[in-house]
Amino acid sequence: MGEKDPALEVARSHNSGITSLNGAMAKEDDEISNSALLSFRAKEEEIEKRKMEVKEKVQAQLGRIEEETKRLAIIREQLDALADPMKKEVSLIRKKIDMVNKELKPLGLNCQKKEKDYKEALDAYNEKSKEKVQLITKLMEMVNESENLRLKKLEELSKNIETMRSD
């Protein structure tokens, strides 16, 4: 979070030549932009943290399911060898495990899709942020240029008035 956006720094440096009113507005825009950026980064970190928690839970579930599947396969073989009356219950549990495995696959795909959507949204946000900084920079340049032109015009008018008085 300690990194400074070079485009924001450029926007701030252009701000120094603007009148105090425009300077206050630009500073407010910068504060709003910084606040939005900090808020976005905090949300981004929270989303990343939650995403990792979900991935870890899914991986833990997958690991447990695989272990249970192996254990049940061994038990099944032993039961088959003994012709145990519990064979029916083991079969039911195996079917349930198979169903859970089938349910886990779309969940994993859903995680991947959401991760892709998140990346796309983040890229779009970053692109718009860059565009905003460029527009702010352009605006400040235009305001400075306008002020300079108006000052020159005022000086010319003042000189015209002075020459009219002296005539």
Side-chain angles (χ1 to χ4, degrees), residues 16-62:
S16 64
I18 300 175
T19 63
S20 63
L21 177 60
N22 289 334
M25 288 170 53
K27 184 176 181 182
E28 184 178 328
D29 283 348
D30 284 348
E31 289 173 3
I32 290 170
S33 295
N34 286 340
S35 175
L37 183 60
L38 290 174
S39 175
F40 173 77
R41 286 182 179 160
K43 287 178 184 177
E44 178 180 319
E45 289 175 6
E46 181 63 26
I47 288 169
E48 191 65 30
K49 180 181 172 186
R50 287 183 183 174
K51 183 175 74 174
M52 292 307 294
E53 290 172 358
V54 169
K55 277 186 176 182
E56 289 172 4
K57 288 178 183 177
V58 169
Q59 288 298 79
Q61 286 287 342
L62 287 173

mmCIF file of all heavy atoms in Angstrom, residues 16-62:
data_model
loop_
_atom_site.group_PDB
_atom_site.id
_atom_site.type_symbol
_atom_site.label_atom_id
_atom_site.label_comp_id
_atom_site.label_asym_id
_atom_site.label_seq_id
_atom_site.Cartn_x
_atom_site.Cartn_y
_atom_site.Cartn_z
ATOM 1 N N SER A 16 0.331 22.385 -8.882
ATOM 2 C CA SER A 16 0.961 23.497 -8.197
ATOM 3 C C SER A 16 0.715 24.837 -8.860
ATOM 4 O O SER A 16 0.707 25.868 -8.192
ATOM 5 C CB SER A 16 2.469 23.236 -8.051
ATOM 6 O OG SER A 16 3.045 23.178 -9.341
ATOM 7 N N GLY A 17 0.463 24.880 -10.156
ATOM 8 C CA GLY A 17 0.276 26.146 -10.849
ATOM 9 C C GLY A 17 -1.163 26.609 -10.901
ATOM 10 O O GLY A 17 -1.471 27.662 -11.445
ATOM 11 N N ILE A 18 -2.076 25.882 -10.356
ATOM 12 C CA ILE A 18 -3.499 26.217 -10.442
ATOM 13 C C ILE A 18 -3.872 27.121 -9.267
ATOM 14 O O ILE A 18 -3.277 27.050 -8.205
ATOM 15 C CB ILE A 18 -4.343 24.920 -10.434
ATOM 16 C CG1 ILE A 18 -3.961 24.064 -11.627
ATOM 17 C CG2 ILE A 18 -5.823 25.233 -10.460
ATOM 18 C CD1 ILE A 18 -4.656 22.728 -11.636
ATOM 19 N N THR A 19 -4.851 27.979 -9.460
ATOM 20 C CA THR A 19 -5.283 28.860 -8.377
ATOM 21 C C THR A 19 -5.683 28.063 -7.163
ATOM 22 O O THR A 19 -5.928 26.868 -7.247
ATOM 23 C CB THR A 19 -6.477 29.735 -8.829
ATOM 24 O OG1 THR A 19 -7.554 28.870 -9.114
ATOM 25 C CG2 THR A 19 -6.131 30.588 -10.019
ATOM 26 N N SER A 20 -5.782 28.736 -6.010
ATOM 27 C CA SER A 20 -6.046 28.017 -4.767
ATOM 28 C C SER A 20 -7.379 27.287 -4.795
ATOM 29 O O SER A 20 -7.498 26.204 -4.259
ATOM 30 C CB SER A 20 -5.990 28.987 -3.584
ATOM 31 O OG SER A 20 -7.011 29.970 -3.707
ATOM 32 N N LEU A 21 -8.389 27.851 -5.426
ATOM 33 C CA LEU A 21 -9.675 27.164 -5.521
ATOM 34 C C LEU A 21 -9.538 25.886 -6.318
ATOM 35 O O LEU A 21 -9.969 24.822 -5.892
ATOM 36 C CB LEU A 21 -10.730 28.063 -6.182
ATOM 37 C CG LEU A 21 -12.118 27.411 -6.406
ATOM 38 C CD1 LEU A 21 -12.711 26.968 -5.079
ATOM 39 C CD2 LEU A 21 -13.028 28.392 -7.109
ATOM 40 N N ASN A 22 -8.912 25.976 -7.495
ATOM 41 C CA ASN A 22 -8.700 24.780 -8.310
ATOM 42 C C ASN A 22 -7.748 23.826 -7.607
ATOM 43 O O ASN A 22 -7.888 22.626 -7.725
ATOM 44 C CB ASN A 22 -8.164 25.147 -9.693
ATOM 45 C CG ASN A 22 -9.229 25.816 -10.549
ATOM 46 O OD1 ASN A 22 -10.413 25.590 -10.333
ATOM 47 N ND2 ASN A 22 -8.815 26.633 -11.488
ATOM 48 N N GLY A 23 -6.785 24.375 -6.900
ATOM 49 C CA GLY A 23 -5.850 23.538 -6.146
ATOM 50 C C GLY A 23 -6.564 22.755 -5.071
ATOM 51 O O GLY A 23 -6.306 21.582 -4.867
ATOM 52 N N ALA A 24 -7.486 23.396 -4.370
ATOM 53 C CA ALA A 24 -8.253 22.701 -3.332
ATOM 54 C C ALA A 24 -9.119 21.620 -3.947
ATOM 55 O O ALA A 24 -9.238 20.523 -3.417
ATOM 56 C CB ALA A 24 -9.109 23.697 -2.553
ATOM 57 N N MET A 25 -9.714 21.950 -5.118
ATOM 58 C CA MET A 25 -10.552 20.946 -5.783
ATOM 59 C C MET A 25 -9.709 19.765 -6.250
ATOM 60 O O MET A 25 -10.112 18.622 -6.102
ATOM 61 C CB MET A 25 -11.289 21.577 -6.969
ATOM 62 C CG MET A 25 -12.400 22.526 -6.519
ATOM 63 S SD MET A 25 -13.119 23.500 -7.857
ATOM 64 C CE MET A 25 -13.564 22.262 -9.025
ATOM 65 N N ALA A 26 -8.541 20.042 -6.784
ATOM 66 C CA ALA A 26 -7.667 18.969 -7.253
ATOM 67 C C ALA A 26 -7.176 18.142 -6.066
ATOM 68 O O ALA A 26 -7.091 16.928 -6.146
ATOM 69 C CB ALA A 26 -6.482 19.534 -8.023
ATOM 70 N N LYS A 27 -6.870 18.828 -4.963
ATOM 71 C CA LYS A 27 -6.431 18.108 -3.778
ATOM 72 C C LYS A 27 -7.554 17.217 -3.265
ATOM 73 O O LYS A 27 -7.327 16.073 -2.898
ATOM 74 C CB LYS A 27 -6.003 19.096 -2.697
ATOM 75 C CG LYS A 27 -5.439 18.419 -1.457
ATOM 76 C CD LYS A 27 -4.936 19.417 -0.448
ATOM 77 C CE LYS A 27 -4.357 18.703 0.762
ATOM 78 N NZ LYS A 27 -3.916 19.635 1.774
ATOM 79 N N GLU A 28 -8.769 17.736 -3.302
ATOM 80 C CA GLU A 28 -9.914 16.940 -2.886
ATOM 81 C C GLU A 28 -10.090 15.741 -3.812
ATOM 82 O O GLU A 28 -10.358 14.634 -3.360
ATOM 83 C CB GLU A 28 -11.174 17.795 -2.890
ATOM 84 C CG GLU A 28 -12.407 17.056 -2.373
ATOM 85 C CD GLU A 28 -13.629 17.963 -2.348
ATOM 86 O OE1 GLU A 28 -13.469 19.170 -2.122
ATOM 87 O OE2 GLU A 28 -14.723 17.451 -2.572
ATOM 88 N N ASP A 29 -9.929 15.975 -5.123
ATOM 89 C CA ASP A 29 -10.001 14.865 -6.092
ATOM 90 C C ASP A 29 -8.924 13.843 -5.794
ATOM 91 O O ASP A 29 -9.167 12.642 -5.856
ATOM 92 C CB ASP A 29 -9.839 15.370 -7.528
ATOM 93 C CG ASP A 29 -11.118 16.031 -8.051
ATOM 94 O OD1 ASP A 29 -12.175 15.910 -7.412
ATOM 95 O OD2 ASP A 29 -11.018 16.652 -9.114
ATOM 96 N N ASP A 30 -7.701 14.322 -5.485
ATOM 97 C CA ASP A 30 -6.612 13.403 -5.152
ATOM 98 C C ASP A 30 -6.953 12.605 -3.901
ATOM 99 O O ASP A 30 -6.723 11.403 -3.840
ATOM 100 C CB ASP A 30 -5.295 14.165 -4.922
ATOM 101 C CG ASP A 30 -4.653 14.622 -6.215
ATOM 102 O OD1 ASP A 30 -5.104 14.152 -7.290
ATOM 103 O OD2 ASP A 30 -3.709 15.420 -6.155
ATOM 104 N N GLU A 31 -7.513 13.295 -2.900
ATOM 105 C CA GLU A 31 -7.862 12.597 -1.668
ATOM 106 C C GLU A 31 -8.944 11.564 -1.930
ATOM 107 O O GLU A 31 -8.893 10.455 -1.410
ATOM 108 C CB GLU A 31 -8.318 13.598 -0.606
ATOM 109 C CG GLU A 31 -7.192 14.460 -0.067
ATOM 110 C CD GLU A 31 -7.673 15.575 0.863
ATOM 111 O OE1 GLU A 31 -8.861 15.666 1.138
ATOM 112 O OE2 GLU A 31 -6.812 16.334 1.307
ATOM 113 N N ILE A 32 -9.911 11.932 -2.760
ATOM 114 C CA ILE A 32 -10.974 10.990 -3.105
ATOM 115 C C ILE A 32 -10.376 9.808 -3.862
ATOM 116 O O ILE A 32 -10.691 8.660 -3.588
ATOM 117 C CB ILE A 32 -12.077 11.686 -3.932
ATOM 118 C CG1 ILE A 32 -12.844 12.668 -3.036
ATOM 119 C CG2 ILE A 32 -13.029 10.670 -4.532
ATOM 120 C CD1 ILE A 32 -13.788 13.580 -3.792
ATOM 121 N N SER A 33 -9.492 10.117 -4.827
ATOM 122 C CA SER A 33 -8.853 9.047 -5.598
ATOM 123 C C SER A 33 -8.034 8.145 -4.678
ATOM 124 O O SER A 33 -8.095 6.924 -4.789
ATOM 125 C CB SER A 33 -7.946 9.631 -6.678
ATOM 126 O OG SER A 33 -8.692 10.337 -7.619
ATOM 127 N N ASN A 34 -7.260 8.760 -3.783
ATOM 128 C CA ASN A 34 -6.448 7.968 -2.851
ATOM 129 C C ASN A 34 -7.328 7.144 -1.935
ATOM 130 O O ASN A 34 -7.049 5.976 -1.683
ATOM 131 C CB ASN A 34 -5.535 8.879 -2.019
ATOM 132 C CG ASN A 34 -4.375 9.414 -2.819
ATOM 133 O OD1 ASN A 34 -4.032 8.845 -3.854
ATOM 134 N ND2 ASN A 34 -3.779 10.494 -2.377
ATOM 135 N N SER A 35 -8.395 7.754 -1.448
ATOM 136 C CA SER A 35 -9.317 7.030 -0.576
ATOM 137 C C SER A 35 -9.937 5.852 -1.315
ATOM 138 O O SER A 35 -10.013 4.748 -0.792
ATOM 139 C CB SER A 35 -10.408 7.975 -0.083
ATOM 140 O OG SER A 35 -11.368 7.274 0.654
ATOM 141 N N ALA A 36 -10.363 6.102 -2.555
ATOM 142 C CA ALA A 36 -10.956 5.020 -3.349
ATOM 143 C C ALA A 36 -9.929 3.928 -3.617
ATOM 144 O O ALA A 36 -10.242 2.742 -3.554
ATOM 145 C CB ALA A 36 -11.508 5.569 -4.663
ATOM 146 N N LEU A 37 -8.697 4.347 -3.912
ATOM 147 C CA LEU A 37 -7.645 3.380 -4.187
ATOM 148 C C LEU A 37 -7.346 2.540 -2.953
ATOM 149 O O LEU A 37 -7.230 1.321 -3.039
ATOM 150 C CB LEU A 37 -6.384 4.103 -4.672
ATOM 151 C CG LEU A 37 -5.202 3.235 -5.067
ATOM 152 C CD1 LEU A 37 -5.597 2.301 -6.209
ATOM 153 C CD2 LEU A 37 -4.019 4.095 -5.487
ATOM 154 N N LEU A 38 -7.242 3.202 -1.788
ATOM 155 C CA LEU A 38 -6.987 2.464 -0.546
ATOM 156 C C LEU A 38 -8.139 1.520 -0.236
ATOM 157 O O LEU A 38 -7.926 0.370 0.142
ATOM 158 C CB LEU A 38 -6.780 3.443 0.612
ATOM 159 C CG LEU A 38 -5.487 4.250 0.584
ATOM 160 C CD1 LEU A 38 -5.476 5.279 1.706
ATOM 161 C CD2 LEU A 38 -4.275 3.344 0.676
ATOM 162 N N SER A 39 -9.361 1.997 -0.434
ATOM 163 C CA SER A 39 -10.540 1.160 -0.205
ATOM 164 C C SER A 39 -10.523 -0.035 -1.146
ATOM 165 O O SER A 39 -10.777 -1.161 -0.736
ATOM 166 C CB SER A 39 -11.804 1.985 -0.412
ATOM 167 O OG SER A 39 -12.935 1.170 -0.318
ATOM 168 N N PHE A 40 -10.222 0.210 -2.411
ATOM 169 C CA PHE A 40 -10.175 -0.873 -3.394
ATOM 170 C C PHE A 40 -9.101 -1.881 -3.022
ATOM 171 O O PHE A 40 -9.330 -3.083 -3.074
ATOM 172 C CB PHE A 40 -9.894 -0.299 -4.790
ATOM 173 C CG PHE A 40 -9.677 -1.367 -5.809
ATOM 174 C CD1 PHE A 40 -10.748 -2.068 -6.336
ATOM 175 C CD2 PHE A 40 -8.401 -1.712 -6.228
ATOM 176 C CE1 PHE A 40 -10.552 -3.061 -7.266
ATOM 177 C CE2 PHE A 40 -8.201 -2.706 -7.150
ATOM 178 C CZ PHE A 40 -9.269 -3.384 -7.667
ATOM 179 N N ARG A 41 -7.937 -1.388 -2.622
ATOM 180 C CA ARG A 41 -6.850 -2.312 -2.258
ATOM 181 C C ARG A 41 -7.227 -3.145 -1.040
ATOM 182 O O ARG A 41 -6.926 -4.339 -0.981
ATOM 183 C CB ARG A 41 -5.555 -1.542 -2.007
ATOM 184 C CG ARG A 41 -4.933 -1.051 -3.298
ATOM 185 C CD ARG A 41 -3.634 -0.339 -3.068
ATOM 186 N NE ARG A 41 -3.044 0.108 -4.326
ATOM 187 C CZ ARG A 41 -2.139 1.044 -4.417
ATOM 188 N NH1 ARG A 41 -1.684 1.639 -3.348
ATOM 189 N NH2 ARG A 41 -1.656 1.404 -5.594
ATOM 190 N N ALA A 42 -7.902 -2.525 -0.071
ATOM 191 C CA ALA A 42 -8.325 -3.259 1.115
ATOM 192 C C ALA A 42 -9.328 -4.340 0.721
ATOM 193 O O ALA A 42 -9.235 -5.477 1.180
ATOM 194 C CB ALA A 42 -8.937 -2.308 2.140
ATOM 195 N N LYS A 43 -10.268 -3.980 -0.142
ATOM 196 C CA LYS A 43 -11.249 -4.964 -0.598
ATOM 197 C C LYS A 43 -10.562 -6.060 -1.397
ATOM 198 O O LYS A 43 -10.903 -7.229 -1.285
ATOM 199 C CB LYS A 43 -12.324 -4.281 -1.445
ATOM 200 C CG LYS A 43 -13.273 -3.438 -0.626
ATOM 201 C CD LYS A 43 -14.292 -2.735 -1.500
ATOM 202 C CE LYS A 43 -15.178 -1.826 -0.666
ATOM 203 N NZ LYS A 43 -16.118 -1.080 -1.494
ATOM 204 N N GLU A 44 -9.602 -5.650 -2.206
ATOM 205 C CA GLU A 44 -8.865 -6.619 -3.022
ATOM 206 C C GLU A 44 -8.135 -7.618 -2.125
ATOM 207 O O GLU A 44 -8.182 -8.822 -2.369
ATOM 208 C CB GLU A 44 -7.868 -5.861 -3.904
ATOM 209 C CG GLU A 44 -6.996 -6.734 -4.767
ATOM 210 C CD GLU A 44 -6.035 -5.907 -5.599
ATOM 211 O OE1 GLU A 44 -6.437 -4.871 -6.118
ATOM 212 O OE2 GLU A 44 -4.872 -6.317 -5.693
ATOM 213 N N GLU A 45 -7.520 -7.117 -1.056
ATOM 214 C CA GLU A 45 -6.820 -8.008 -0.129
ATOM 215 C C GLU A 45 -7.809 -8.933 0.589
ATOM 216 O O GLU A 45 -7.527 -10.117 0.775
ATOM 217 C CB GLU A 45 -6.034 -7.192 0.894
ATOM 218 C CG GLU A 45 -4.829 -6.499 0.306
ATOM 219 C CD GLU A 45 -4.117 -5.581 1.286
ATOM 220 O OE1 GLU A 45 -4.483 -5.557 2.475
ATOM 221 O OE2 GLU A 45 -3.203 -4.890 0.853
ATOM 222 N N GLU A 46 -8.955 -8.401 0.967
ATOM 223 C CA GLU A 46 -9.966 -9.206 1.635
ATOM 224 C C GLU A 46 -10.472 -10.301 0.702
ATOM 225 O O GLU A 46 -10.624 -11.457 1.110
ATOM 226 C CB GLU A 46 -11.128 -8.311 2.105
ATOM 227 C CG GLU A 46 -12.223 -9.069 2.827
ATOM 228 C CD GLU A 46 -11.779 -9.723 4.121
ATOM 229 O OE1 GLU A 46 -10.825 -9.259 4.745
ATOM 230 O OE2 GLU A 46 -12.380 -10.750 4.498
ATOM 231 N N ILE A 47 -10.728 -9.950 -0.559
ATOM 232 C CA ILE A 47 -11.194 -10.938 -1.543
ATOM 233 C C ILE A 47 -10.124 -12.009 -1.726
ATOM 234 O O ILE A 47 -10.432 -13.200 -1.759
ATOM 235 C CB ILE A 47 -11.529 -10.251 -2.888
ATOM 236 C CG1 ILE A 47 -12.815 -9.428 -2.745
ATOM 237 C CG2 ILE A 47 -11.686 -11.278 -3.996
ATOM 238 C CD1 ILE A 47 -13.092 -8.517 -3.917
ATOM 239 N N GLU A 48 -8.877 -11.591 -1.847
ATOM 240 C CA GLU A 48 -7.786 -12.549 -2.032
ATOM 241 C C GLU A 48 -7.676 -13.473 -0.827
ATOM 242 O O GLU A 48 -7.504 -14.680 -0.980
ATOM 243 C CB GLU A 48 -6.468 -11.778 -2.257
ATOM 244 C CG GLU A 48 -5.322 -12.645 -2.714
ATOM 245 C CD GLU A 48 -5.535 -13.254 -4.086
ATOM 246 O OE1 GLU A 48 -6.221 -12.662 -4.923
ATOM 247 O OE2 GLU A 48 -5.013 -14.357 -4.300
ATOM 248 N N LYS A 49 -7.834 -12.899 0.372
ATOM 249 C CA LYS A 49 -7.757 -13.696 1.597
ATOM 250 C C LYS A 49 -8.894 -14.720 1.627
ATOM 251 O O LYS A 49 -8.669 -15.897 1.909
ATOM 252 C CB LYS A 49 -7.861 -12.768 2.815
ATOM 253 C CG LYS A 49 -7.804 -13.482 4.143
ATOM 254 C CD LYS A 49 -7.940 -12.496 5.285
ATOM 255 C CE LYS A 49 -8.089 -13.200 6.613
ATOM 256 N NZ LYS A 49 -8.361 -12.262 7.707
ATOM 257 N N ARG A 50 -10.101 -14.273 1.314
ATOM 258 C CA ARG A 50 -11.244 -15.184 1.314
ATOM 259 C C ARG A 50 -11.091 -16.253 0.247
ATOM 260 O O ARG A 50 -11.437 -17.414 0.456
ATOM 261 C CB ARG A 50 -12.542 -14.407 1.089
ATOM 262 C CG ARG A 50 -12.954 -13.608 2.302
ATOM 263 C CD ARG A 50 -14.263 -12.918 2.087
ATOM 264 N NE ARG A 50 -14.605 -12.085 3.242
ATOM 265 C CZ ARG A 50 -15.641 -11.286 3.268
ATOM 266 N NH1 ARG A 50 -16.442 -11.197 2.227
ATOM 267 N NH2 ARG A 50 -15.891 -10.557 4.333
ATOM 268 N N LYS A 51 -10.593 -15.855 -0.906
ATOM 269 C CA LYS A 51 -10.396 -16.811 -1.986
ATOM 270 C C LYS A 51 -9.411 -17.895 -1.552
ATOM 271 O O LYS A 51 -9.647 -19.082 -1.788
ATOM 272 C CB LYS A 51 -9.874 -16.065 -3.221
ATOM 273 C CG LYS A 51 -9.699 -16.951 -4.434
ATOM 274 C CD LYS A 51 -9.300 -16.157 -5.656
ATOM 275 C CE LYS A 51 -7.865 -15.736 -5.523
ATOM 276 N NZ LYS A 51 -7.339 -15.091 -6.711
ATOM 277 N N MET A 52 -8.335 -17.504 -0.887
ATOM 278 C CA MET A 52 -7.354 -18.477 -0.421
ATOM 279 C C MET A 52 -7.957 -19.394 0.641
ATOM 280 O O MET A 52 -7.684 -20.591 0.663
ATOM 281 C CB MET A 52 -6.107 -17.760 0.125
ATOM 282 C CG MET A 52 -5.298 -17.030 -0.941
ATOM 283 S SD MET A 52 -4.852 -18.065 -2.354
ATOM 284 C CE MET A 52 -3.754 -19.220 -1.569
ATOM 285 N N GLU A 53 -8.807 -18.823 1.526
ATOM 286 C CA GLU A 53 -9.457 -19.655 2.535
ATOM 287 C C GLU A 53 -10.347 -20.704 1.873
ATOM 288 O O GLU A 53 -10.337 -21.875 2.272
ATOM 289 C CB GLU A 53 -10.285 -18.779 3.480
ATOM 290 C CG GLU A 53 -9.465 -17.911 4.402
ATOM 291 C CD GLU A 53 -10.309 -16.913 5.195
ATOM 292 O OE1 GLU A 53 -11.531 -16.867 5.015
ATOM 293 O OE2 GLU A 53 -9.712 -16.191 5.998
ATOM 294 N N VAL A 54 -11.114 -20.280 0.874
ATOM 295 C CA VAL A 54 -11.992 -21.223 0.179
ATOM 296 C C VAL A 54 -11.161 -22.290 -0.517
ATOM 297 O O VAL A 54 -11.490 -23.482 -0.464
ATOM 298 C CB VAL A 54 -12.898 -20.479 -0.836
ATOM 299 C CG1 VAL A 54 -13.611 -21.461 -1.744
ATOM 300 C CG2 VAL A 54 -13.906 -19.614 -0.091
ATOM 301 N N LYS A 55 -10.073 -21.872 -1.183
ATOM 302 C CA LYS A 55 -9.209 -22.852 -1.859
ATOM 303 C C LYS A 55 -8.655 -23.860 -0.857
ATOM 304 O O LYS A 55 -8.616 -25.057 -1.131
ATOM 305 C CB LYS A 55 -8.048 -22.137 -2.562
ATOM 306 C CG LYS A 55 -8.392 -21.586 -3.913
ATOM 307 C CD LYS A 55 -7.145 -21.044 -4.580
ATOM 308 C CE LYS A 55 -7.441 -20.564 -5.975
ATOM 309 N NZ LYS A 55 -6.229 -20.072 -6.642
ATOM 310 N N GLU A 56 -8.213 -23.360 0.311
ATOM 311 C CA GLU A 56 -7.659 -24.255 1.318
ATOM 312 C C GLU A 56 -8.721 -25.235 1.825
ATOM 313 O O GLU A 56 -8.439 -26.428 2.008
ATOM 314 C CB GLU A 56 -7.094 -23.441 2.490
ATOM 315 C CG GLU A 56 -5.830 -22.683 2.144
ATOM 316 C CD GLU A 56 -5.386 -21.723 3.239
ATOM 317 O OE1 GLU A 56 -6.018 -21.686 4.309
ATOM 318 O OE2 GLU A 56 -4.409 -21.018 3.011
ATOM 319 N N LYS A 57 -9.942 -24.741 2.024
ATOM 320 C CA LYS A 57 -11.018 -25.616 2.474
ATOM 321 C C LYS A 57 -11.323 -26.676 1.423
ATOM 322 O O LYS A 57 -11.522 -27.843 1.752
ATOM 323 C CB LYS A 57 -12.277 -24.802 2.784
ATOM 324 C CG LYS A 57 -12.165 -23.981 4.051
ATOM 325 C CD LYS A 57 -13.418 -23.153 4.276
ATOM 326 C CE LYS A 57 -13.275 -22.283 5.504
ATOM 327 N NZ LYS A 57 -14.466 -21.423 5.705
ATOM 328 N N VAL A 58 -11.378 -26.263 0.170
ATOM 329 C CA VAL A 58 -11.655 -27.212 -0.916
ATOM 330 C C VAL A 58 -10.542 -28.247 -0.980
ATOM 331 O O VAL A 58 -10.806 -29.449 -1.099
ATOM 332 C CB VAL A 58 -11.817 -26.478 -2.269
ATOM 333 C CG1 VAL A 58 -11.824 -27.455 -3.440
ATOM 334 C CG2 VAL A 58 -13.099 -25.658 -2.277
ATOM 335 N N GLN A 59 -9.291 -27.809 -0.907
ATOM 336 C CA GLN A 59 -8.155 -28.739 -0.957
ATOM 337 C C GLN A 59 -8.193 -29.699 0.232
ATOM 338 O O GLN A 59 -7.929 -30.892 0.078
ATOM 339 C CB GLN A 59 -6.828 -27.974 -0.977
ATOM 340 C CG GLN A 59 -6.539 -27.273 -2.298
ATOM 341 C CD GLN A 59 -6.428 -28.249 -3.448
ATOM 342 O OE1 GLN A 59 -7.422 -28.722 -3.981
ATOM 343 N NE2 GLN A 59 -5.228 -28.556 -3.840
ATOM 344 N N ALA A 60 -8.540 -29.170 1.414
ATOM 345 C CA ALA A 60 -8.617 -30.031 2.595
ATOM 346 C C ALA A 60 -9.716 -31.074 2.407
ATOM 347 O O ALA A 60 -9.526 -32.255 2.721
ATOM 348 C CB ALA A 60 -8.883 -29.189 3.849
ATOM 349 N N GLN A 61 -10.861 -30.620 1.880
ATOM 350 C CA GLN A 61 -11.950 -31.560 1.620
ATOM 351 C C GLN A 61 -11.527 -32.617 0.607
ATOM 352 O O GLN A 61 -11.814 -33.803 0.781
ATOM 353 C CB GLN A 61 -13.188 -30.805 1.083
ATOM 354 C CG GLN A 61 -13.928 -30.014 2.134
ATOM 355 C CD GLN A 61 -14.706 -30.910 3.085
ATOM 356 O OE1 GLN A 61 -14.960 -32.064 2.797
ATOM 357 N NE2 GLN A 61 -15.069 -30.364 4.233
ATOM 358 N N LEU A 62 -10.873 -32.182 -0.467
ATOM 359 C CA LEU A 62 -10.425 -33.135 -1.481
ATOM 360 C C LEU A 62 -9.449 -34.152 -0.886
ATOM 361 O O LEU A 62 -9.533 -35.351 -1.164
ATOM 362 C CB LEU A 62 -9.770 -32.402 -2.656
ATOM 363 C CG LEU A 62 -10.713 -31.638 -3.582
ATOM 364 C CD1 LEU A 62 -9.905 -30.817 -4.583
ATOM 365 C CD2 LEU A 62 -11.646 -32.577 -4.296
#
